[in-house]
Amino acid sequence: MYLNWILHAKMGLENINSNMQEVGLINRKVYPALPPLVEYSVASKGEPLIPIVDLAEKFGKKLGDKIVRSSIKRTLPRLRLKLLVSTRRIMGMSGE
């Protein structure tokens, strides 16, 4: 599931990059190398967007931290219970 999400995110970013390149917000330079090396830079037309992108990045970091903490809080108790049940089964103890 996580890999699928990453692949979809990568495809989405590629679409966004090509759209931004088409309208002249970013520049793309490809260097002949193995693996291929691609460098993106902000075009003069895209410079007014830099403060907006910075704010979006800060918001994403705050939201991301909250999501990770919330996920850990939900997942750890289930992992502890599975570990306890598995340990009891291995040791031949019945806890069911």
Side-chain angles (χ1 to χ4, degrees):
M1 182 172 116
Y2 184 69
L3 181 59
N4 194 27
W5 180 84
I6 290 174
L7 291 175
H8 278 81
K10 183 181 182 296
M11 289 187 320
L13 286 175
E14 288 171 356
N15 289 337
I16 291 169
N17 283 346
S18 64
N19 291 340
M20 291 174 69
Q21 186 180 354
E22 285 175 16
V23 297
L25 297 176
I26 61 172
N27 301 314
R28 181 177 187 255
K29 184 172 182 174
V30 181
Y31 295 94
L34 285 175
L37 177 63
V38 180
E39 181 180 271
Y40 291 94
S41 59
V42 178
S44 59
K45 193 174 178 181
E47 287 179 7
L49 294 174
I50 292 174
I52 296 168
V53 172
D54 289 342
L55 284 172
E57 181 185 13
K58 288 178 186 176
F59 175 76
K61 284 180 180 177
K62 285 182 183 178
L63 181 64
D65 288 346
K66 288 180 183 179
I67 290 171
V68 168
R69 283 194 300 268
S70 172
S71 176
I72 289 171
K73 285 180 183 177
R74 285 192 314 269
T75 304
L76 276 179
R78 284 185 268 161
L79 289 175
R80 286 185 185 131
L81 179 61
K82 286 180 183 178
L83 181 61
L84 179 64
V85 169
S86 297
T87 304
R88 286 184 175 171
R89 284 185 183 149
I90 290 169
M91 297 179 78
M93 303 167 72
S94 104
E96 301 169 359

